[in-house]
Amino acid sequence: ALDELAVLQDSVIPFDTQVAIQQIEKELNGPLGQFFTSISEKPVAAASLAQVYLATLNDGKDTKVAVKVQRPDVLSTVSKDLYVLRRAAEVFQGLAERFIPQQRTNYVALLNEWAIGFYTELDFMNEANNQQRLRDI
C-alpha cells in the first residue's frame, strides 16, 4: 500500500516555482528575502493540494523550515467538486428514501461534515497554528 501511495505522489506534477514564490510573497506581504535567506529551487514534495519547499529563515539562527504552498485555484476547484458531490448526494438521498426507507443514513449531512474537514485541510493558517501548539507542548 505504501508503495502505491509513493507512485501516486510521484505522479503529481509540481506547479511552477515562480508562481509559488509569488504566492508566498503575497501571503507574507513582502519579498522572499525579507523572510528567508534561502529556499529550494524546486519543491521537495508535490501533492494534489500543495507543494513543499525547504527554506532557511532570515532569523539569524539559520532555522530550517518547510514552506507549504497551496496550488493555484485549488479552493475554487475543490468547491466546484464538492458542489457536484453534494448534488449527487441529494439525488442518492432521495433514491434511498424511496427505495430503501429502512436506511437512516443522511448522506447529504455526511458529505457536509466531510466537506468541512476537507476545507479545514485547505486552511494552512489553522495547520500552522496547530503545529505551533504542538511545538509549545
Side-chain angles (χ1 to χ4, degrees):
L2 288 177
D3 291 337
E4 289 302 315
L5 180 59
V7 169
L8 286 174
Q9 287 175 328
D10 289 343
S11 67
V12 175
I13 298 170
F15 60 93
D16 186 59
T17 295
Q18 270 312 113
V19 172
I21 289 171
Q22 289 171 357
Q23 283 187 236
I24 295 166
E25 291 178 334
K26 181 180 175 189
E27 289 289 324
L28 296 177
N29 293 317
L32 212 57
Q34 181 179 341
F35 308 99
F36 307 104
T37 57
S38 68
I39 190 165
S40 56
E41 291 181 20
K42 294 182 179 181
V44 294
S48 59
L49 300 179
Q51 58 194 39
V52 178
Y53 293 85
L54 293 181
T56 304
L57 288 179
N58 190 3
D59 62 357
K61 302 176 196 171
D62 288 333
T63 305
K64 305 289 185 205
V65 294
V67 180
K68 190 172 180 181
V69 184
Q70 204 166 88
R71 283 188 172 276
D73 301 320
V74 74
L75 183 59
S76 173
T77 301
V78 166
S79 295
K80 290 173 191 170
D81 290 348
L82 288 173
Y83 173 79
V84 171
L85 284 172
R86 189 173 196 286
R87 298 298 301 195
E90 289 169 352
V91 170
F92 186 78
Q93 186 72 47
L95 291 171
E97 289 170 1
R98 182 172 178 190
F99 295 108
I100 46 172
Q102 68 276 17
Q103 175 67 3
R104 299 283 183 224
T105 303
N106 184 334
Y107 296 101
V108 174
L110 186 65
L111 180 69
N112 287 342
E113 285 300 312
W114 182 77
I116 290 168
F118 205 89
Y119 279 118
T120 302
E121 287 290 317
L122 292 172
D123 184 351
F124 290 178
M125 290 304 294
N126 180 58
E127 182 177 347
N129 290 335
N130 288 338
Q131 290 176 2
Q132 182 66 44
R133 286 189 359 226
L134 280 174
R135 195 174 88 192
D136 292 343
I137 292 178

